[in-house]
Amino acid sequence: EEDRVVYQCFHCGTSGAMRKKTFMQQVHITKSTAPKHIDPPTEHIPQIVTDFLVKRAINPKIANQFPLVGSEKYFAGIGRSPAIGFVYGDPRQPEAIKWRSTGDKEFTQQGSARSLFGLNQLPKDITELVICEGEMDVLALASAGIHAVSVPNGAPAKVTDGKVDPKQDGKFSYI
């Protein structure tokens, strides 16, 4: 039917159909507890963000559309390193910042990311949305003009391994 869209997750195999509405008309934000806020970063080095995006062939103008920050951070595996921060929630009162080393794939996080990265950047009249595994996917898709959000901690390994029924896995219970 023309008033329905079909979806399928190739990760967990969930599929179905739903009536066409704008994405924002269908979002029901539920939170079991209010997120705790962390202090916003006191240092921002824009060149770190720009260099990292250019290296990944992502238009650096995307940095103006998303809450990104560049800084030096400590990572357990490598020590201090330039890093790009993905801000979750309101940039003035973030609930979390996920930091990725620009030279390695080391990660660290301040706070607890329990929302979708890029959700606040979506237009109100959006009708199609891609949900992806990482923040860099969101930026790459945005540079191609595709609206996307990312889950905060990647795809759940348990569902992939078939150990947990997707309906019983609580990793994305905040969605």
Side-chain angles (χ1 to χ4, degrees), residues 83-159:
I84 183 170
F86 304 93
V87 180
Y88 280 77
D90 183 340
R92 296 165 301 202
Q93 282 191 307
E95 66 183 66
I97 302 175
K98 284 183 58 182
W99 293 95
R100 177 182 175 166
S101 166
T102 59
D104 296 294
K105 281 198 154 195
E106 298 291 327
F107 287 90
T108 189
Q109 181 171 284
Q110 292 171 260
S112 179
R114 300 288 296 163
S115 61
L116 299 170
F117 178 78
L119 186 63
N120 295 337
Q121 285 67 44
L122 295 175
K124 299 294 181 202
D125 61 348
I126 186 173
T127 58
E128 294 180 352
L129 177 69
V130 174
I131 300 175
C132 52
E133 189 175 0
E135 298 88 0
M136 291 304 298
D137 299 327
V138 171
L139 302 179
L141 289 165
S143 68
I146 299 169
H147 299 294
V149 293
S150 169
V151 295
N153 297 306
K158 290 181 179 180
V159 172

Side-chain angles (χ1 to χ4, degrees), residues 6-71:
V6 178
Y7 63 91
Q8 179 171 0
C9 176
F10 293 99
H11 178 73
C12 69
T14 301
S15 62
M18 61 192 309
R19 291 195 180 280
K20 277 188 181 178
K21 293 183 183 177
T22 67
F23 176 73
M24 292 307 202
Q25 288 172 320
Q26 297 180 56
V27 171
H28 302 287
I29 298 175
T30 59
K31 294 199 183 238
S32 55
T33 59
K36 294 182 178 170
H37 298 288
I38 61 170
D39 292 330
T42 56
E43 175 187 54
H44 174 46
I45 307 169
Q47 195 62 44
I48 291 175
V49 174
T50 300
D51 292 347
F52 185 73
L53 295 178
V54 167
K55 189 166 102 177
R56 300 288 301 261
I58 296 173
N59 186 335
K61 291 181 181 177
I62 291 295
N64 298 327
Q65 299 172 24
F66 289 88
L68 306 174
V69 63
S71 188

